[in-house]
Amino acid sequence: MADVARVAGVSPMTVSRAFKRDASVSDATRSAILEAADALGYVFDSTASNLRSQRTDFVAVTIPSINNANFADTVRGLSEGLKERGLQILLGYTDYDVREEERLVEQLLRRRPEAIVVTGGHHTPRTRRLLENSGIPVVETWDLPVAPVGHVVGFSNAAAVHAMVDHFVSLAITRIAFIGGDADRDTRGTDRRAGFISAMRAHGLDAGRLIAAGTPPISMKEGADAMGRLLDTMPDTQAVICVSDLSAFGALTECQRRGVSVPGQIAVAGFGNYEIAGICVPSLTTINPFPDEIGKRTASLILDVLDGKQTGSAAIAIKPVLIRRQSSP
Amino acid sequence: MADVARVAGVSPMTVSRAFKRDASVSDATRSAILEAADALGYVFDSTASNLRSQRTDFVAVTIPSINNANFADTVRGLSEGLKERGLQILLGYTDYDVREEERLVEQLLRRRPEAIVVTGGHHTPRTRRLLENSGIPVVETWDLPVAPVGHVVGFSNAAAVHAMVDHFVSLAITRIAFIGGDADRDTRGTDRRAGFISAMRAHGLDAGRLIAAGTPPISMKEGADAMGRLLDTMPDTQAVICVSDLSAFGALTECQRRGVSVPGQIAVAGFGNYEIAGICVPSLTTINPFPDEIGKRTASLILDVLDGKQTGSAAIAIKPVLIRRQSSP
DNA sequence: ATGAAAGCGCTAACAG
DNA sequence: CTGTTAGCGCTTTCAT
C-alpha cells in the first residue's frame, strides 16, 4: 500500500480510503490510486485489514454435508442475501456429527466471523458454550429448538412428518411405515422419525414399521434397499414415509423394478421437495420446508442484527407445506 | 493471550506455542495453558496470527454452483485431502459466469489463500492476470486447457462426448441429437457440445440435431422440455446425448410420460455419473469423470507444491469412463 | 478531502 | 523448553 501511495503521490491512508466504498476521496485521486495499484499488480491485503479493523466480513456457516441440494439451497439464499453487503460465507461440513460440529465451530470462531449460522438445534455442551460466548449473532436453522442458543430460522421436523401421517390417516391409510437412518447421528432424521412415531401413537396405530436404511445421509440406493426389505417383511404396508426425497425416489425405483404399483399397491412420500420429486414418474408426494427461504430469512435477520435493527432473539418459524403428488392417492 | 499467559504463569509466547501442534512445549505447561484458556473462555484469534505469520491456511476454491453434486464431490475430495494439514477451504460460486469469476477471484486473493483452485480453463484476461501474479499455486480443474495458468487436474469435455458419439456409431446408431445449454455461458457445456459436433462431422453424420434447453445449469425440467421438443420435431432420432445426467433424467421422464420406450425407440445418455443415473429405471448410460478423484488429486498436488516436492507445473489427466447402462442398447 | 501517529493480537527471529 | 523484542499491513483516531 505504501508503494501504491508513493506512485500515486498520496499517503497510504488515502490509498486505504480509495479501496473502500464510501470513504471520502476525490474521484480524481481515487482513479489515480486504482490505476497505480493496477500497474503495480497490488492486491489489497484483507488479513491486515481484518486485524486492525476487527472486522472480517465473514459469516460462518455449518451444514451437515455439501452434497445435499436442500442445504445447498439454504446456503445459496444466505450467500445471495449477504453478498450485497460484502459479507462472505465461510462454510464448513459437520458430516452429520455433533462432535465434528464442535471441532468445526471452534475452528470457524477463530477466524472471527461477524455471525455464525448452524444447521440444527442439537449440539454438544461445549459447542453450545462456544456459541454462547462467541459475542456474535448465532442463528440455528432447519429446526425449532426448545432452548435456542440465539436466533432461530426453521421448522419442526417432527411436526412436519406428523402432518404427513395425519394426511395419510385422513385418507383411511393406517398401515404406514417409515424409512430412515439407523443411528441418531442425523438429528433432523431422528426428529422426523420421532414425529412419525408420535403421530402413529396419537392415532392409536402401530408405530413399529420402521426400516433402518443405514447411516445418514441416506442415499437413493439405501432407500431402494430399505424398500426391498419393507416389501419382503411387511407386504401389507399401505404407505411409506421416507426421511428424504432421495431415499423416497430410491424406494420408488425398487417398486418399479419389482412391478409394484405406486400408489396402487403402496403409497410413497418423501421430504424436502428436491427437484427430482416434482419430475419423476410418478411424481413424489413430499413436504416443502422452503430451504431457500430459510437462507434468505437468515441473511436478512443477520443484516438486521448487525445493523442494530433487531434487538433480542428472533424465532422465525417457516411453515412446511405438504405437496400431494402422484405417488400417493 | 496475555491474560491466559498471566493465569498460566507463563509468557504469551509460550501460550502461542501451546496452541500449535508441533511446537516444543512441555505437556504439563501445555495442559495448564489450555486449562487457563478454557477457564477464561479464550478463543485463539486467527486474524492476528494470519497477519504476523503470513499464513492463512486457506485454500480458495471457485465452483460454478454449490447446487451441483459433481462439483460438490470435487470439493468434498479436496476438503478431505486438505483437512489433515489444517487447510480450510474458502469457497465461492461463479454462477457459470466468467465475469462473476473475475470478481470472485479478486475477492478471494485478498484473503491471501495458500493456493487457489478454479473450475475450468476459460477466464477473462484480468482473471488470468490475477491468477498468474498471485504468487501462489493455481490449479485449473474439470478441463484440460491448451494454455494452462499453472497446474491442471482435469479431462477434455469435448473428447469425452466424442467418445460417446463413437460408441453410438459403433452400434450403428447414426441419427444422434444433443441436448445442452443455449448460451456459451457454461464453458464445460459448450465444450461438450463442440465435442458432439466434431465427432458427428468426423463420422460424416448430420451434427444439426441440437436442442437448446435454456441457460445453464440445465435442470431436469429443462431436460424434459427439450426432449419433448426433440420428439416433436425430429421423431426419427435414434439417440440423444444430454449435457448432464440431470437433463438426461428429465428427458427420460418425458419419454415415460409419452409412452416412448427407452432404449427401444430412443437411446438416452447423460454425463457426470450422478447417483441418480445408476438407480433410475432404466438406468442411464453416462460418462464418469471421477469428480471426487479430481478433488483428491488436486488436494495432494497442492500439498506437494506447498512442500516443495512438486516443482514446475503438473498436468494431471483424469480419464473419463463411459458407463453402459439400460438406457442405451 | 487528506495526512500523521499509534496499534490491532499474534509470532518470527534470536537468545538462553 | 521458554522468554524478549520487534513488526506483519492495514485502519482508528485525531488533526488540518
Side-chain angles (χ1 to χ4, degrees):
Chain A
M1 196 174 257
D3 295 344
V4 175
R6 208 169 304 121
V7 172
V10 294
S11 73
M13 195 55 236
T14 304
V15 176
S16 172
R17 291 194 176 103
F19 274 92
K20 304 290 152 209
R21 301 241 168 242
D22 58 329
S24 48
V25 181
S26 75
D27 285 353
T29 311
R30 168 172 275 129
S31 52
I33 288 170
L34 295 180
E35 204 172 301
D38 209 50
L40 292 172
Y42 167 80
V43 175
F44 183 91
D45 189 335
S46 294
T47 65
S49 171
N50 293 342
L51 176 59
R52 176 65 244 224
S53 65
Q54 299 292 79
R55 289 176 39 90
T56 57
D57 290 337
F58 274 136
V59 170
V61 180
T62 76
I63 55 177
S65 159
I66 191 183
N67 213 321
N68 178 302
N70 272 181
F71 300 132
D73 278 342
T74 294
V75 173
R76 193 153 42 83
L78 195 47
S79 183
E80 272 159 28
L82 296 174
K83 184 156 58 178
E84 53 197 81
R85 287 282 265 282
L87 294 170
Q88 186 171 8
I89 286 192
L90 188 56
L91 191 63
Y93 322 113
T94 67
D95 204 17
Y96 297 90
D97 180 2
V98 293
R99 295 290 307 170
E100 185 61 28
E101 184 191 53
E102 181 179 313
R103 275 188 290 278
L104 187 60
V105 165
E106 177 162 28
Q107 196 190 352
L108 292 172
L109 289 176
R110 289 177 168 206
R111 303 266 186 196
R112 295 292 187 266
E114 315 294 335
I116 182 163
V117 179
V118 297
T119 304
H122 300 270
H123 317 288
T124 66
R126 191 169 132 74
T127 302
R128 209 184 157 85
R129 194 152 43 82
L130 284 168
L131 293 173
E132 283 166 350
N133 297 338
S134 66
I136 57 174
V138 175
V139 187
E140 291 168 289
T141 60
W142 279 85
D143 199 354
L144 280 185
V146 180
V149 175
H151 309 277
V152 176
V153 179
F155 61 91
S156 163
N157 286 274
V161 172
H162 202 296
M164 182 65 85
V165 172
D166 291 348
H167 170 65
F168 279 133
V169 173
S170 76
L171 299 173
I173 294 173
T174 54
R175 293 190 299 279
I176 311 171
F178 184 84
I179 287 177
D182 53 7
D184 286 349
R185 233 173 121 208
D186 175 16
T187 55
R188 279 155 300 288
T190 308
D191 288 347
R192 288 173 202 168
R193 187 179 58 199
F196 169 78
I197 293 171
S198 82
M200 292 298 280
R201 288 190 183 147
H203 287 288
L205 299 171
D206 170 24
R209 294 173 192 254
L210 299 170
I211 307 290
T215 53
I218 310 304
S219 65
M220 294 179 179
K221 175 76 166 57
E222 287 166 325
D225 292 345
M227 182 57 129
R229 269 175 281 132
L230 177 63
L231 293 171
D232 288 340
T233 59
M234 301 177 243
D236 64 334
T237 301
Q238 298 171 292
V240 57
I241 298 172
C242 302
V243 73
S244 77
D245 284 349
L246 306 183
S247 45
F249 176 74
L252 198 63
T253 64
E254 185 61 20
C255 293
Q256 293 181 269
R257 277 184 290 273
R258 292 180 178 223
V260 171
S261 148
V262 175
Q265 289 176 256
I266 187 167
V268 176
F271 195 108
N273 196 33
Y274 288 70
E275 186 189 10
I276 194 172
I279 199 158
C280 63
V281 181
S283 57
L284 273 171
T285 290
T286 188
I287 288 164
N288 186 0
F290 302 103
D292 55 336
E293 189 71 15
I294 293 176
K296 285 180 199 157
R297 298 289 289 271
T298 301
S300 66
L301 171 61
I302 287 172
L303 295 181
D304 284 350
V305 174
L306 293 178
D307 288 348
K309 283 186 205 159
Q310 163 77 39
T311 56
S313 291
I316 299 174
I318 302 288
K319 185 149 178 47
V321 168
L322 196 157
I323 303 180
R324 294 180 69 171
R325 294 215 186 89
Q326 300 162 345
S327 68
S328 70
Chain B
M1 197 174 257
D3 293 344
V4 175
R6 209 170 302 121
V7 172
V10 294
S11 74
M13 193 59 234
T14 304
V15 177
S16 173
R17 290 193 177 102
F19 275 92
K20 305 289 155 210
R21 301 238 168 244
D22 59 328
S24 48
V25 182
S26 76
D27 285 353
T29 310
R30 168 172 276 130
S31 52
I33 288 169
L34 295 180
E35 204 172 303
D38 208 50
L40 292 172
Y42 168 79
V43 176
F44 183 89
D45 189 333
S46 293
T47 65
S49 172
N50 293 343
L51 176 60
R52 174 66 244 224
S53 65
Q54 300 293 79
R55 288 175 40 91
T56 57
D57 290 338
F58 274 136
V59 170
V61 180
T62 76
I63 56 177
S65 159
I66 191 185
N67 213 322
N68 179 301
N70 271 181
F71 300 132
D73 278 341
T74 294
V75 172
R76 191 153 43 85
L78 195 47
S79 182
E80 271 159 28
L82 296 173
K83 183 155 57 177
E84 54 197 78
R85 286 284 265 281
L87 293 170
Q88 186 172 6
I89 286 192
L90 187 56
L91 191 62
Y93 323 112
T94 66
D95 204 18
Y96 296 91
D97 180 2
V98 292
R99 296 290 307 171
E100 185 62 26
E101 185 191 52
E102 181 179 313
R103 276 188 288 279
L104 186 60
V105 165
E106 179 163 26
Q107 196 191 353
L108 292 172
L109 289 177
R110 289 178 167 205
R111 303 263 185 199
R112 295 293 187 267
E114 314 295 335
I116 182 163
V117 179
V118 297
T119 304
H122 300 269
H123 318 287
T124 66
R126 191 169 131 74
T127 302
R128 211 186 155 83
R129 196 152 42 81
L130 285 167
L131 293 173
E132 282 167 350
N133 297 338
S134 65
I136 56 174
V138 175
V139 188
E140 291 168 289
T141 60
W142 280 84
D143 199 354
L144 279 184
V146 180
V149 175
H151 309 279
V152 175
V153 180
F155 61 92
S156 163
N157 286 274
V161 172
H162 202 297
M164 183 65 85
V165 172
D166 290 348
H167 170 66
F168 279 133
V169 172
S170 77
L171 299 172
I173 293 172
T174 54
R175 293 191 298 281
I176 311 171
F178 184 84
I179 287 177
D182 54 7
D184 286 350
R185 232 173 122 209
D186 175 16
T187 56
R188 277 153 302 287
T190 308
D191 287 349
R192 289 173 201 166
R193 188 179 56 199
F196 169 77
I197 292 172
S198 81
M200 291 300 279
R201 288 190 183 146
H203 287 288
L205 299 171
D206 170 24
R209 294 174 190 252
L210 300 169
I211 307 289
T215 53
I218 309 304
S219 65
M220 293 179 179
K221 175 75 165 59
E222 287 166 324
D225 292 345
M227 183 56 128
R229 269 175 280 133
L230 177 64
L231 293 171
D232 288 340
T233 59
M234 300 178 245
D236 65 335
T237 301
Q238 298 171 292
V240 56
I241 298 172
C242 302
V243 72
S244 76
D245 284 349
L246 306 182
S247 45
F249 176 73
L252 197 64
T253 64
E254 185 61 19
C255 293
Q256 293 181 268
R257 278 184 290 271
R258 292 180 179 224
V260 170
S261 149
V262 175
Q265 291 177 253
I266 188 167
V268 176
F271 195 109
N273 196 33
Y274 289 70
E275 186 189 9
I276 193 173
I279 200 159
C280 62
V281 181
S283 56
L284 273 170
T285 290
T286 189
I287 288 165
N288 186 359
F290 302 103
D292 55 336
E293 189 69 16
I294 293 176
K296 285 179 200 159
R297 298 290 290 272
T298 301
S300 66
L301 172 61
I302 287 173
L303 295 181
D304 284 351
V305 174
L306 293 178
D307 287 349
K309 283 185 205 159
Q310 163 75 40
T311 55
S313 291
I316 299 173
I318 302 288
K319 185 150 179 46
V321 169
L322 196 157
I323 304 179
R324 294 181 68 170
R325 294 215 186 90
Q326 299 163 345
S327 67
S328 70

